[in-house]
Amino acid sequence: MATIAGNADVVRYNSVARALHAAIAVMVVFNLATGIAGDALEKVWNPFPLHRGTGMIVLVLSLARLGWRMTWTMPDWPATMGNVQRQLAKVTHAALYALMLVVPVTGWIMTSANSKLPISIWGLFEWPKLAVTKGSALAEVAHEGHEILGYLMAGLVALHVAAALHHHFVIRDNVLRRML
Ligand code: HEM
Ligand code: HEM
């Protein structure tokens, strides 16, 4: 049987992978929440300046994470995972990696088309904008894409977190522990 949770010699993801996963997870969840609830929140607090800056940080960290990911092989999945689960995990992870790049880029493109919206990185400095014309096809597609892919990402993250909790509390294997 696979290593049981609680065993000290559980094989884990490397520390850089775990740190990047945690940092990106917190920021993506924040951005999904502020993106979805943003309009409702705006009467008390406008979350979008922070949403835009945090989204650009997600892009930079995700590029670093993907670069780092090319340099190592993930720990083997436990024997508790069947073929279907392994394929589903692979597809979900690949989709999450893609969305970690595409969703911020669409946000960057659509915001670049609006001269009134600065992209401030947590008040430290201004992020440069792309040369996108307001009302152009690119700006429109990016806006649509940001919305549709943002909601798709929310669904996949919910599935991903549910799977991690299912592994930990129901199957009781080491899958959650090795990423923490
Ligand atoms: C991980 C990164 C990001 C995630 C998960 C994310 C997610 C979302 C979601 C789910 C929405 C709501 C969609 C809607 O109802 O229209 C939204 C809206 C928005 N996002 Fe992002 N976003 C990210 C990054 C960015 C970036 C980098 C920018 C700009 C630089 C940005 C700018 C905006 C703006 C301006 C809106 C409001 C759009 C509107 O009012 O139509 N986002 N985001
Ligand atoms: C917030 C709660 C989250 C929990 C509890 C969680 C848990 C996990 C766990 C346990 C793994 C390892 C899976 C395995 O070994 O098969 C993993 C991997 C992964 N997670 Fe998350 N996750 C969370 C949020 C997120 C978010 C928000 C994203 C990105 C949008 C994300 C992206 C990924 C990716 C891409 C992998 C694959 C890592 C690799 O093998 O390269 N996770 N997560």
Side-chain angles (χ1 to χ4, degrees):
M1 185 162 162
T3 318
I4 304 292
N7 205 336
D9 53 60
V10 160
V11 180
R12 299 168 91 190
Y13 279 84
N14 61 72
S15 54
V16 176
R18 284 186 274 129
L20 284 170
H21 176 268
I24 293 172
V26 168
M27 288 189 246
V28 166
V29 169
F30 174 81
N31 261 29
L32 288 172
T34 50
I36 291 167
D39 290 339
L41 272 175
E42 246 172 341
K43 288 187 190 88
V44 270
W45 171 60
N46 176 7
F48 286 108
L50 197 50
H51 176 102
R52 295 193 291 271
T54 305
M56 294 318 315
I57 296 172
V58 168
L59 177 62
V60 172
L61 289 182
S62 300
L63 287 169
R65 181 170 168 189
L66 273 167
W68 176 241
R69 183 70 177 84
M70 311 278 171
T71 67
W72 50 269
T73 323
M74 66 176 285
D76 280 342
W77 274 309
T80 42
M81 275 176 81
N83 253 340
V84 174
Q85 283 166 302
R86 285 166 196 241
Q87 291 312 318
L88 198 63
K90 266 190 201 164
V91 172
T92 310
H93 293 167
L96 287 175
Y97 275 126
L99 290 166
M100 278 151 47
L101 302 177
V102 177
V103 172
V105 167
T106 52
W108 186 14
I109 295 173
M110 79 185 195
T111 302
S112 296
N114 187 339
S115 57
K116 290 193 204 114
L117 293 180
I119 306 176
S120 165
I121 306 301
W122 295 351
L124 298 174
F125 63 93
E126 291 284 302
W127 186 267
K129 288 191 171 181
L130 303 163
V132 183
T133 315
K134 195 169 187 169
S136 63
L138 178 62
E140 297 300 321
V141 169
H143 198 155
E144 279 294 304
H146 196 71
E147 183 170 354
I148 295 167
L149 297 176
Y151 280 97
L152 173 68
M153 193 173 194
L156 282 184
V157 167
L159 181 75
H160 177 71
V161 174
L165 296 178
H166 186 258
H167 274 281
H168 194 69
F169 292 109
V170 181
I171 308 174
R172 292 171 167 270
D173 59 20
N174 67 346
V175 165
L176 174 58
R177 188 172 295 256
R178 72 214 204 123
M179 190 46 113
L180 296 181

